[in-house]
Amino acid sequence: MPVADYDQASLPDLLPLYYRRLFPFSQYYRWLNYGGVTKNYFQNREFSFTLKDDIYVRYQSFSTQNELEKEMQKMNPYKIDVGAVYSHRPNQHNTVKSGSFQALEKELVFDIDMTDYDDVRSCCSAADICPKCWTLMTIAIRILDRALRDDFGFRHCLWVYSGRRGVHCWVCDEAARKLSVAARSAVSEYLSLVKGGEETVRKVVLSDPIHPFINESLKVVEHYFPQYAVVGQDILGSKEAADKVLALVPEDVRKELLQYFQTEKNPEKRWGRLKTLVQNKRTTAKGHYFEKEIMLQYCYPRLDVNVSKGVNHLLKSPFSVHPKTGRISVPIDLRELDRFDPFDVPTISLICEELDRPKTAEEEEEKEDTDENEREAGERRKRRDYKQTSLAKYVKLFDQFLEGMARSWKGEHLKKSDLQKDF
Amino acid sequence: MQFFSRRKKLIGNSQTEQLYGHCLQFYGQPPIENISLSEFETFAVERLKLLKTVENLGVSYVRTSEQYTKKLDAEFSNLNFPYKIEADDRKPQTGPSEFEKRRKDHISHFILRLAYCQTEDLRRWFIQQEIDLFRYRFKHLHPKNQSEFLHRNNLHYHTISVEEKNNLMDKLINSRFAVSGTTVDYQDFYKVPFQDALDLVRTRKVYLKGGYVYIPHQDIVTIVLNDFRTRLSKALALTARSLPAVQSDERLQPLLNHLSHAYVGQDYSIQKSIGKISLEQIDPLSAKSYPLCMRQLHRGLRDSHHLRHGGRMQYGLFLKGIGLTLDQALQFWRSEFVKGKVDADKFDKAYAYSIRHMFGKEGKRTDYTPYSCMKVILSNPPSQGDQHGCPFRHSDPELLKQKLQSYKVSPSGISQILELVKGMHYQLACQKYFELTHSIEDSGFSLNHPNQYFMESQKLLGGPGAGVKVEVKREDNPATKPPNPSPHQTPGPGNLPQEVEAEITEDLDSFFQDA
């Protein structure tokens, strides 16, 4: 669906519909309640809303799923952010003795933003994205997800499309939620390889020995690099682009390559030559990894450490709408990662339109089946409406994610009841 | 008397075995026995000396160097702190037993916690030195004793099997420059949750798998130190909260206050060179032999013909320390103030009294001691319009740089000084200033006191202020006792707190002086 069909001005009409009939409240509550293992976990969670006319309200909190629904339907927020679980109910924080109101836990989060790659992508810049540079997000997700799972042992990572130009990761393991600021900062730094701002030319420096983490990440990068960078981004095509790459190799290699480039115009051949020259240099005792450094500088994920560090940092909520594009922040299916297309993500206007569409026979049947299982008549339509829209598959994905976590909550409950001798 | 009533515990042989069975401990349990006030004081002071040595050596030498080790070993010996397990744990021939040393180590640590828990600065300093101390002692333990320590403290860092080691061989070698195939073969590797080894994770200096880091025995000290730091940090926060209860004990409060500002060494209260400095010499002396703080104060006094109270105290006592007599001091201050807005009458009414007070000629007749560097740096920070304090601590680095430039310090010297300031080594920065202004490589002393600076400078330059030996036991020195000791007089206006402090200072200072 082309984004052109979405108009920010229609948000005031679309949002009420979205929050009344489409937003998956029961799954959302199920997530943030974390199986009720810890008392008041949901009640002490901070939400923040951005309302019409850029009014921003913090320290929102809710006692029940019902209350959350009612409030959101009343306020129709343009944006929803999720914060930390505090020591007290955030909406009562003013009544708490100063110093006692503390952020206790929160998911470990990562925010990958395409604008951080502006110095290495030629197809777009700033808020724009296209299928060509989206590969950077694919690479980022692959590398980080592997590291979070294999290296850090985290098992419940929810990857979400931010709605415009990036992706977020919510690590929901209990151990992750309990991490201190220092620990979050250490994890982020472990995962960071690209360092330096505008003044730094060479942003990746590798030396012996190459840590296993870097090797694993390189495997991913090497897989995508030829197609993405050499062909797609044409980094060795134009003189301007090629010069940027050459700035990252030592003087003597650069001279040789400049000469070689005078006759050889094929980018793939050029890259091949660069690799050969650098690898030849490597026979000496000291390791030189210039070609690896180049690949990493052009492709390796760039994280904003500040987003991940703070326990109280607020991040855009899954299933929130992006006001500028109208896209819903949907979970990304890692099994189909290479096929994910940000331009195919449903917009709020699309799904609202789909609500009023005449149903197919299939959808009618499905609806009747589930209707029988509903307790309240009034809830029937409300609960299942997303199922007849493009949002359905994303909510299902979310359900699967929650199912995976639920097994661990069950374990926790058993542990706790054992301790209380509660059989 | 019970100092620590927070926890109740049974005292028994098993308890002492638990606490003192190893020469190193985590200081998890506070001492619960009774001790005398004098032992309380001695222990505290000696540990403070040890920590200050740790600090000084840590900045002057690389921590793994031989000189560092030798010097620190010597200090341990001198102060009778436990630092290694003797080969057969045999009792030494002379001096306190190993048990006594360990007991002292234990108790003195807890006393200093009381003194150093109160502010962020103090806590940071204390934790830093205790960590350095702990690291030093742990590293010098035999690996067998290291393992014993871990065991005693329930630090069950899980070792991995030989098979697992072999499986991970490549990964382990590639994770860390210092780890080779031999390391993997010959050392135990521990599997530790990554949250306990953040420094290694952050810098990617370790192999990480499934949330665990794999560390060779040689690096286990990092983990243990992190653990120690966390525990100590929490403990200090807790201590700070219980402090009001302890401070209400009048016997302890003055000592604890004094400890955190303690200058452990000579106090320069009386100089053999008394009366040897003439007033005309002060200006040139200020340029040649004054530490920067006093030079600044003197300059401020000459320029504005006035100094505020903090400045008068700091500089006035310093002048007393370099040998000015009361009459000289009165003349000095009066002549300067009169050039300003104060006429002679007003001076006699308002300022003369406080100068005589400094010399112990008024009120309680306490002879105040010149401020040590610690005192200048930590107490009474200057505000707008003040000239006192330590320029290395309290001046904006840009202004400090300009000042040093105006005093013709070389650019390289200035940057060395600024580096030290950045690292918060203010006394070392002043020492460097000494070295640069006297054109010598090594000052040869560890700077602790502005009067020490002056004395050392005069020694070098062969000046009159060098003095020879500082009088030690003030009780024995007739100069301080007024000829006809008058009964306790009512203190001067608004001076009560100072009186009280002075009295305590008098008692404690005599204790703190070197024998």
Side-chain angles (χ1 to χ4, degrees), chain A residues 146-418:
Chain A
R146 183 214 69 79
L148 290 168
R149 265 170 222 291
D150 294 349
D151 295 7
F152 287 98
F154 294 128
R155 283 163 44 226
H156 306 290
C157 305
L158 180 71
W159 286 93
V160 180
Y161 172 52
S162 75
R164 188 157 66 149
R165 59 186 195 216
V167 294
H168 300 157
C169 179
W170 296 77
V171 186
C172 301
D173 295 57
E174 189 186 344
R177 285 180 273 133
K178 290 179 148 66
L179 287 177
S180 64
V181 171
R184 286 163 207 256
S185 153
V187 173
S188 307
E189 282 192 56
Y190 176 91
L191 297 170
S192 299
L193 276 181
V194 181
K195 309 216 164 116
E198 271 176 38
E199 341 67 54
T200 317
V201 175
R202 199 168 150 222
K203 296 186 164 73
V204 181
V205 179
L206 298 178
S207 53
D208 273 323
I210 305 260
H211 191 276
F213 164 76
I214 300 181
N215 273 325
E216 290 298 319
S217 307
L218 271 168
K219 281 186 199 159
V220 177
V221 169
E222 278 161 3
H223 172 84
Y224 287 93
F225 188 81
Q227 188 56 36
Y228 161 74
V230 182
V231 176
Q233 293 292 320
D234 202 26
I235 63 171
L236 288 172
S238 71
K239 174 157 170 29
E240 199 191 325
D243 277 344
K244 276 201 201 151
V245 178
L246 291 179
L248 303 173
V249 296
E251 188 72 43
D252 50 341
V253 174
R254 192 180 320 145
K255 283 210 178 94
E256 263 203 68
L257 283 172
L258 275 171
Q259 208 171 15
Y260 182 76
F261 286 5
Q262 282 183 1
T263 44
E264 183 56 70
K265 301 295 176 195
N266 178 309
E268 273 152 313
K269 291 237 168 65
R270 285 180 165 188
W271 176 247
R273 176 63 135 209
L274 190 155
K275 270 204 292 187
T276 318
L277 286 177
V278 174
Q279 278 160 358
N280 285 344
K281 254 180 100 75
R282 199 142 68 221
T283 53
T284 53
K286 192 166 171 201
H288 293 286
Y289 300 105
F290 297 107
E291 87 285 15
K292 297 191 201 276
E293 288 173 0
I294 291 171
M295 287 195 279
L296 292 172
Q297 182 152 336
Y298 275 81
C299 299
Y300 185 86
R302 296 164 181 221
L303 327 158
D304 185 351
V305 178
N306 290 317
V307 168
S308 311
K309 243 180 22 181
V311 178
N312 55 2
H313 190 100
L314 289 149
L315 187 65
K316 185 151 178 289
S317 172
F319 295 104
S320 176
V321 184
H322 197 298
K324 296 225 164 63
T325 60
R327 306 237 184 242
I328 312 288
S329 285
V330 294
I332 299 175
D333 191 350
L334 258 59
R335 297 165 301 195
E336 309 276 314
L337 184 57
D338 284 310
R339 274 188 283 204
F340 180 82
D341 181 2
F343 296 98
D344 204 33
V345 170
T347 59
I348 186 175
S349 40
L350 172 70
I351 55 181
C352 285
E353 207 187 279
E354 286 170 338
L355 265 182
D356 297 324
R357 208 182 47 194
K359 303 181 195 42
T360 64
E362 238 173 44
E363 286 166 343
E364 274 289 359
E365 215 180 85
E366 201 186 75
K367 208 158 162 313
E368 275 166 23
D369 282 340
T370 57
D371 277 355
E372 282 165 28
N373 298 328
E374 287 301 331
R375 277 176 282 127
E376 285 175 26
E379 298 299 310
R380 259 177 251 156
R381 271 188 57 191
K382 236 203 281 185
R383 283 278 160 82
R384 298 296 187 233
D385 275 344
Y386 67 78
K387 280 203 169 176
Q388 61 193 73
T389 68
S390 310
L391 198 60
K393 78 174 190 196
Y394 298 102
V395 179
K396 187 158 173 214
L397 202 51
F398 193 45
D399 267 325
Q400 287 166 350
F401 175 74
L402 295 173
E403 220 19 69
M405 283 211 289
R407 275 171 249 136
S408 66
W409 300 335
K410 203 156 148 215
E412 280 303 304
H413 273 300
L414 282 175
K415 252 198 273 180
K416 281 201 171 170
S417 69
D418 278 351

Side-chain angles (χ1 to χ4, degrees), chain A residues 188-193 195 206 211 213-214 300, chain B residues 174-176 198-207:
Chain A
S188 307
E189 282 192 56
Y190 176 91
L191 297 170
S192 299
L193 276 181
K195 309 216 164 116
L206 298 178
H211 191 276
F213 164 76
I214 300 181
Y300 185 86
Chain B
N174 282 328
S175 307
R176 182 94 152 99
L198 292 180
D199 285 333
L200 293 173
V201 170
R202 179 194 309 275
T203 49
R204 233 180 282 119
K205 283 205 170 98
V206 71
Y207 179 55

Side-chain angles (χ1 to χ4, degrees), chain B residues 255-270:
Chain B
L255 171 70
L256 293 177
N257 279 340
H258 201 86
L259 269 178
S260 54
H261 295 167
Y263 160 64
V264 185
Q266 299 179 326
D267 77 344
Y268 301 95
S269 56
I270 283 295

Side-chain angles (χ1 to χ4, degrees), chain B residues 34-52:
Chain B
N34 295 336
I35 73 172
S36 65
L37 251 189
S38 93
E39 209 177 24
F40 186 90
E41 287 169 354
T42 320
F43 280 5
V45 169
E46 294 195 343
R47 190 182 195 87
L48 187 55
K49 282 189 189 166
L50 182 62
L51 292 185
K52 288 197 81 55

Side-chain angles (χ1 to χ4, degrees), chain B residues 89-197:
Chain B
D89 217 358
R90 65 188 186 277
K91 292 200 178 67
Q93 320 304 67
T94 54
S97 70
E98 187 61 26
F99 175 85
E100 281 163 16
K101 291 186 193 175
R102 294 178 190 182
R103 177 175 165 267
K104 174 159 129 175
D105 176 43
H106 181 218
I107 296 176
S108 60
H109 171 90
F110 275 90
I111 299 174
L112 288 191
R113 274 198 200 177
L114 294 175
Y116 282 85
C117 66
Q118 297 177 61
T119 70
E120 193 54 52
D121 272 343
L122 290 175
R123 283 200 285 256
R124 196 183 310 135
W125 184 86
F126 183 66
I127 291 178
Q128 184 58 51
Q129 309 325 317
E130 285 284 341
I131 284 185
D132 283 348
L133 183 64
F134 187 92
R135 180 193 293 119
Y136 174 80
R137 291 161 81 184
F138 188 82
K139 275 193 150 156
H140 286 259
L141 284 179
H142 190 276
K144 187 173 55 120
N145 297 121
Q146 286 181 346
S147 302
E148 195 197 326
F149 174 81
L150 295 177
H151 220 72
R152 276 178 166 267
N153 288 281
N154 293 320
L155 296 171
H156 296 302
Y157 299 130
H158 179 86
T159 40
I160 62 176
S161 65
V162 177
E163 199 190 324
E164 204 176 344
K165 265 204 282 184
N166 285 331
N167 287 340
L168 298 174
M169 172 80 77
D170 281 337
K171 301 261 165 63
L172 294 174
I173 296 176
N174 282 328
S175 307
R176 182 94 152 99
F177 192 74
V179 170
S180 64
T182 330
T183 322
V184 179
D185 282 331
Y186 285 108
Q187 286 194 26
D188 271 338
F189 267 74
Y190 297 88
K191 189 171 145 174
V192 173
F194 83 88
Q195 291 92 328
D196 294 339

